[in-house]
Amino acid sequence: ALVAMVFKYVMIPAGEDSMEELEHPAVDTLENNDPFIAMVKQYLDKSGAKVDKATLLQNLKEHGKGQAPAVSDEMLDRMISATSVDLFPLAVPMKENGFHGVTLYC
């Protein structure tokens, strides 16, 4: 019988909720439509956190070496409404750590 592979992750909410260990079905390929990333995006979208337009413009300016790129209000609104997920590998799977990996998704 084929055994469904899963991986464990720890959900650490930004608010007062308790963190919890959960499982999600593993995928065997790296694709643009990863179901785990889709789930994280949906969670972040529901969190209600909003991007401040002035902060976004300041960050664009800092990344543009002191000059904010010419971006229309429509494009700024699209950037603000988009949900993205950043990944930060904290521990890379290696023989020395039993091939366990830790990645921060935010």
Side-chain angles (χ1 to χ4, degrees):
L2 187 61
V3 177
M5 300 282 295
V6 298
F7 66 91
K8 292 184 180 185
Y9 66 98
V10 178
M11 172 69 78
I12 305 174
E16 298 293 321
D17 295 337
S18 298
M19 65 178 165
E20 57 184 319
E21 183 178 292
L22 303 167
E23 291 184 345
H24 194 275
V27 295
D28 59 357
T29 60
L30 296 175
E31 300 176 4
N32 288 336
N33 57 352
D34 182 328
F36 183 72
I37 300 252
M39 186 213 45
V40 172
K41 283 183 178 181
Q42 184 178 22
Y43 173 82
L44 293 173
D45 204 29
K46 286 182 181 179
S47 74
K50 297 295 175 202
V51 175
D52 178 66
K53 195 178 247 185
T55 302
L56 176 60
L57 285 170
Q58 180 62 34
N59 286 337
L60 287 171
K61 184 177 180 180
E62 288 173 12
H63 287 284
K65 299 180 181 179
Q67 288 186 317
V71 179
S72 70
D73 284 340
E74 180 184 358
M75 181 56 78
L76 281 174
D77 290 339
R78 284 185 188 178
M79 292 168 72
I80 288 170
S81 65
T83 302
S84 64
V85 176
D86 290 321
L87 287 75
F88 299 96
L90 304 177
V92 179
M94 301 183 311
K95 185 177 181 180
E96 295 79 16
N97 64 13
F99 296 100
H100 288 95
V102 177
T103 303
L104 172 66
Y105 292 76
C106 57

